[in-house]
Amino acid sequence: MKLPLLVLAGCLAAVPALAKDNFVLEDEVALCTGCHGEDGVPVATDYPIIAGQQYFYIFTQLRDFGAGRRENETMTPIAAEYDRDQAKEIAQYFADKPWPDVPGSSQEGDRQLAEKAMTAAECSACHGKWQGDSRIPRLAGQQVDYLATTMLDFKSKTRKNAPDMSNLMADVSDDEIHALARYLSTVVIH
Ligand code: HEC
Ligand code: HEC
């Protein structure tokens, strides 16, 4: 009878912490905006914009960080503190904000190189015009260094929470990834 108990304990340990005590939405989001930006513009170019991001995508990422499916030394311990309902409240708060206007930066030739990779990998089949939809994140106007880092993380499988994206990035060269990141940072949604 001892084995099932141990197995059960192992399963419980893999589940994110129960719930953060004394949860007050305003206090939690103040923590987030210290990095992700009070006005929606993150304080560093390798921090992602989350204001105006898709609700379900934000929620999924918080759950993935919390459960260790997506690992990051900053985000994992933060997200692990919230239960589902708390993560939902936080996701809704940011999803309801307007997406900030951050000027992207691209170089000559980026568009051609990016389009070559986008055609080969059929990005638009899932990402449409980069506006995002539910589980699909908005990428138009996202932070340039964040985009490059996360695509390289998919490729090296440092980011493991979306195996489809990792398989796809395996065939995209690093030069194409950097061109894609710069190009996407300049895409505007009308
Ligand atoms: C100390 C800085 C810092 C704080 C505080 C912080 N974040 Fe983050 N956040 C980051 C960094 C850096 C990344 C990129 C991590 C990666 O690439 O894996 C990130 C990634 C994310 C992502 C993934 C975005 C995407 O496009 O995939 C979400 C969602 C997120 N953070 C939400 C939050 C929320 C909600 C809070 C507050 C509860 C918060 N963050 C607090 C630095 C921070
Ligand atoms: C089969 C569908 C599919 C295709 C094709 C696809 N993606 Fe994705 N992509 C996704 C999904 C789903 C996610 C969200 C993964 C998650 O939940 O972590 C994602 C996430 C991303 C992210 C992370 C965004 C963030 O905020 O962290 C980037 C960047 C990205 N895709 C770029 C691309 C590019 C560039 C292409 C084409 C070269 C492409 N994707 C093709 C489905 C796809």
Side-chain angles (χ1 to χ4, degrees), residues 53 57 60-61 70 117-118 121-123 126-127 130 135-137 139 142 146-147 150-151 154 159 161-162 164-165 168-169 172 180 184:
Q53 185 53 278
Y57 178 73
T60 309
Q61 298 310 302
R70 180 173 176 185
M118 287 171 346
E122 296 182 23
C123 313
C126 299
H127 286 278
W130 310 108
R135 263 208 82 145
I136 302 277
L139 301 185
Q142 182 55 281
Y146 171 73
L147 284 170
T150 211
M151 284 189 273
F154 278 133
R159 177 171 172 179
N161 69 330
D164 280 357
M165 280 301 308
L168 210 132
M169 286 296 157
V172 183
L180 276 166
L184 290 171

Side-chain angles (χ1 to χ4, degrees), residues 5-17:
L5 274 176
L6 277 177
V7 170
L8 181 64
C11 293
L12 285 175
V15 171

Side-chain angles (χ1 to χ4, degrees), residues 164-182:
D164 280 357
M165 280 301 308
S166 289
N167 292 339
L168 210 132
M169 286 296 157
D171 297 328
V172 183
S173 73
D174 288 8
D175 283 349
E176 285 170 338
I177 286 181
H178 286 288
L180 276 166
R182 288 191 296 263

Side-chain angles (χ1 to χ4, degrees), residues 23-186:
F23 178 90
V24 178
L25 185 63
E26 289 71 27
D27 295 345
E28 302 307 324
V29 301
L31 163 74
C32 318
T33 55
C35 293
H36 292 283
E38 225 164 294
D39 49 1
V41 181
V43 300
T45 53
D46 55 353
Y47 292 174
I49 293 169
I50 59 170
Q53 185 53 278
Q54 296 287 326
Y55 160 75
F56 198 57
Y57 178 73
I58 301 177
F59 170 67
T60 309
Q61 298 310 302
L62 288 175
R63 299 300 287 169
D64 282 0
F65 279 126
R69 285 185 292 271
R70 180 173 176 185
E71 284 172 59
N72 178 263
E73 56 183 16
T74 306
M75 284 308 303
T76 300
I78 292 176
E81 292 203 78
Y82 304 119
D83 68 10
R84 275 183 93 78
D85 290 340
Q86 293 170 340
K88 280 185 180 170
E89 270 193 64
I90 295 174
Q92 193 64 60
Y93 174 89
F94 286 106
D96 285 345
K97 297 260 166 214
W99 181 273
D101 185 15
V102 182
S105 56
S106 68
Q107 302 170 6
E108 207 178 322
D110 280 348
R111 196 191 165 94
Q112 287 82 339
L113 202 51
E115 268 171 6
K116 185 173 152 250
M118 287 171 346
T119 308
E122 296 182 23
C123 313
S124 65
C126 299
H127 286 278
K129 295 189 188 311
W130 310 108
Q131 74 283 3
D133 179 22
S134 185
R135 263 208 82 145
I136 302 277
R138 171 176 171 153
L139 301 185
Q142 182 55 281
Q143 298 271 83
V144 61
D145 292 334
Y146 171 73
L147 284 170
T149 305
T150 211
M151 284 189 273
L152 292 169
D153 284 352
F154 278 133
K155 188 174 173 178
S156 65
K157 301 201 171 115
T158 304
R159 177 171 172 179
K160 303 186 188 72
N161 69 330
D164 280 357
M165 280 301 308
S166 289
N167 292 339
L168 210 132
M169 286 296 157
D171 297 328
V172 183
S173 73
D174 288 8
D175 283 349
E176 285 170 338
I177 286 181
H178 286 288
L180 276 166
R182 288 191 296 263
Y183 166 74
L184 290 171
S185 77
T186 63

